[in-house]
Amino acid sequence: MSTFWCETAIIASLSGSGVPEAASGVRLETRDGRITSVTANVERQAGDTKLQGVVFPAAANAHSHAFHRVLRGRTHEGRGDFWVWREQMYTSASELTPEKYEKLATAVFAEMVVTGFSSVAEFHYVHHQQDGAPYPEAHAMELALARAAMSAGIRLTLLDTLYLNGGIGSPLSPEQARFGDADVHAWLRRLDSLRNAIAKDFPADRVSVGAALHSVRAVPEEDLKVVAAQLPTDIPLHIHLSEQPAENHACLEAYGTTPAGLLARNGLLSSRLSAVHSTHLTQEDIASLGQAGTTVVMCPSTEADLADGIGPARQLSDAGATIALGTDQHAVIDPWIEMRTLEHGERLGSGQRGRFTPQELLQAATHGAARSMATPVAKPALEVGSVCDLMAIDPASVRTAGSRPLQMAFSATASDVTEVVIGGELIASRGVHSRLGQPGTLLTDALKELS
């Protein structure tokens, strides 16, 4: 058993209102990485680990491409759009080996941990060698990512991605060859083999496997039917959806419907589906995603960086979808900036403030994101039975001074994270990883091996 004493903590309502509240002098008892007792307004006891500041549940990162971290600060010369950026991304993907990827992903995951994330859904499609041939060691790239997550101490849902076409009706390009499988059945077999390999070598509460469809551009309709019929029902499923108008236009031309309509037509809209971005939707799409109880993963800093547009987050939430947050291409790794940017996008698009409450933003960054994964589900407030994944925020920095604890989504940044606890273990303090040291040093070293 381990115990923590928090100066202030965001806990489940003591009054039964259902709204989280900030309480002082909160003592947490934990066993096997879960919270077994929450007591407020008490003194610190001998042996308690003190967490200074305001303690929140740690964040969950519902969408990540770890290797995209290579591109931060390197893609801003001249003008362009998503499609120009994508060519630079392919160059980075071409340089990866299992060894380089493990080193890079360890650094990226360490950066996530010190900024307050305790879990991540890694949307992974760099499966094979550059010519598309499998590595001699089965699942070499996937196992490298799993080892990286274990080294960093972050919970990983490895989303093994089906990627068959370069575009609707187009074969994979040479740059995409390493992303593909022979066909959907080969992917399903490889997915099953990967699940067995991960289950054998890694603890289930730390590393698990989910599935992803890259997009309707990359998976033909006949293969969507196979996925709907044969994908195991006990794993999450993610897809990039309507990130770009060009994707919608191509889908309408080929299939006579939108990407969301295509998924609905093939029985793939459900509460286990996470639709990433969902930036350019029709009103019918919004209603369908909401009625299905789909999770919609917004990545506001990436969508801004790539000029994708502002997605209809408020409308989706009102329709019944669960909103989650991710960092995608890691232009920023900061759960607080993602929360704030989600609301700011809504304000810019609507001309209204308060489109999402601070509690709703915290919900999106914790429970909303974690429910899209196969790792233990986080809660938006500390309560008995939850995993003991915590982040403490300095309430007296130049950014947060004067902020009410429950409104820190509008003032805090990752620079204000003082401690991070994962599974009851203090794993980061003041930006330093307890096992790995300074993530900046790790990143600098890993990036030297990539152009």
Side-chain angles (χ1 to χ4, degrees):
M1 184 178 77
S2 58
T3 57
F4 299 89
W5 184 84
C6 313
E7 288 184 327
T8 303
I10 306 303
I11 64 174
S13 172
L14 297 174
S15 65
S17 68
V19 178
E21 59 187 67
S24 299
V26 176
R27 189 169 187 267
L28 306 175
E29 295 182 355
T30 75
R31 186 178 299 278
D32 298 326
R34 288 188 176 269
I35 298 172
T36 57
S37 174
V38 179
T39 310
N41 304 309
V42 296
E43 298 296 323
R44 181 185 179 191
Q45 298 183 20
D48 291 351
T49 298
K50 182 178 179 179
L51 300 178
Q52 295 181 318
V54 183
V55 178
F56 291 80
N61 189 345
H63 189 65
S64 163
H65 301 288
F67 79 89
H68 288 191
R69 176 60 181 80
V70 177
L71 301 172
R72 184 190 295 176
R74 297 183 175 189
T75 64
H76 303 284
E77 292 91 359
R79 296 188 178 183
D81 57 14
F82 168 85
W83 306 102
V84 173
W85 171 89
R86 189 177 72 158
E87 296 306 314
Q88 296 171 292
M89 180 268 288
Y90 286 161
T91 299
S92 296
S94 71
E95 298 178 344
L96 296 174
T97 65
E99 295 75 22
K100 289 180 180 179
Y101 207 3
E102 182 172 351
K103 188 174 183 178
L104 175 62
T106 298
V108 174
F109 292 156
E111 182 182 3
M112 290 182 195
V113 167
V114 303
T115 60
F117 289 106
S118 66
S119 59
V120 60
E122 180 65 24
F123 199 109
H124 168 66
Y125 50 80
V126 189
H127 303 302
H128 308 301
Q129 298 181 74
Q130 287 192 34
D131 62 358
Y135 282 97
E137 176 193 8
H139 313 301
M141 292 295 260
E142 292 75 23
L143 294 173
L145 287 167
R147 291 191 297 268
M150 290 297 293
S151 296
I154 199 167
R155 304 180 192 274
L156 172 68
T157 299
L158 184 59
L159 299 169
D160 196 85
T161 302
L162 176 61
Y163 201 138
L164 298 175
N165 283 0
I168 296 176
S170 303
L172 294 172
S173 68
E175 296 86 358
Q176 298 167 321
R178 67 186 315 186
F179 307 159
D181 289 287
D183 55 37
V184 64
H185 301 287
W187 173 70
L188 286 166
R189 289 191 296 271
R190 190 172 57 74
L191 177 65
D192 182 65
S193 173
L194 175 62
R195 294 184 74 191
N196 290 331
I198 292 293
K200 180 173 75 72
D201 292 336
F202 298 92
D205 67 332
R206 293 297 177 137
V207 182
S208 52
V209 176
L213 311 174
H214 180 269
S215 59
V216 300
R217 291 182 288 109
V219 182
E221 183 171 18
E222 59 268 25
D223 296 314
L224 295 177
K225 297 179 188 297
V226 174
V227 171
Q230 298 186 26
L231 184 70
T233 58
D234 62 337
I235 60 175
L237 176 65
H238 290 223
I239 186 171
H240 294 125
L241 188 76
S242 291
E243 182 178 5
Q244 291 290 321
E247 175 186 329
N248 291 351
H249 296 156
C251 189
L252 281 165
E253 184 174 344
Y255 300 118
T257 187
T258 63
L262 187 64
L263 296 183
R265 188 160 81 194
N266 289 283
L268 287 167
L269 286 190
S270 73
S271 59
R272 76 144 165 182
L273 181 71
S274 292
V276 182
H277 301 305
S278 301
T279 311
H280 302 281
L281 301 177
T282 67
Q283 291 302 309
E284 184 178 353
D285 292 337
I286 293 169
S288 295
L289 290 165
Q291 289 166 9
T294 300
T295 296
V296 175
V297 183
M298 299 290 191
C299 305
S301 66
T302 286
E303 288 146 11
D305 183 77
L306 298 182
D308 286 344
I310 299 172
R314 182 71 265 170
Q315 289 186 66
L316 283 160
S317 180
D318 291 344
T322 295
I323 303 300
L325 292 170
T327 64
D328 194 358
Q329 56 121 352
H330 315 309
V332 176
I333 295 181
D334 186 328
W336 299 95
I337 285 180
E338 298 299 341
M339 285 185 255
R340 189 148 63 249
T341 306
L342 178 69
E343 168 64 12
H344 284 175
E346 280 287 321
R347 293 183 184 189
L348 289 169
S350 69
Q352 297 178 331
R353 301 179 84 234
R355 299 282 286 177
F356 287 97
T357 67
Q359 292 79 15
E360 287 176 311
L361 296 175
L362 186 62
Q363 171 87 8
T366 55
H367 182 73
R371 77 186 289 272
S372 73
M373 303 183 196
T375 50
V377 174
K379 302 289 186 179
L382 306 182
E383 60 183 75
V384 172
S386 295
V387 288
C388 187
D389 292 2
L390 317 170
M391 64 170 156
I393 299 296
D394 181 357
S397 76
V398 295
R399 291 163 294 277
T400 61
S403 298
R404 294 174 179 171
L406 283 167
Q407 293 192 28
M408 283 188 173
F410 292 97
S411 60
T413 72
S415 297
D416 302 311
V417 176
T418 57
E419 283 97 21
V420 179
V421 173
I422 301 179
E425 176 189 355
L426 182 63
I427 200 164
S429 183
R430 300 283 175 179
V432 179
H433 196 284
S434 62
R435 305 174 192 170
L436 301 172
Q438 293 279 359
T441 301
L442 299 174
L443 287 160
T444 298
D445 190 38
L447 290 168
K448 287 178 181 176
E449 301 182 10
L450 299 161
S451 62

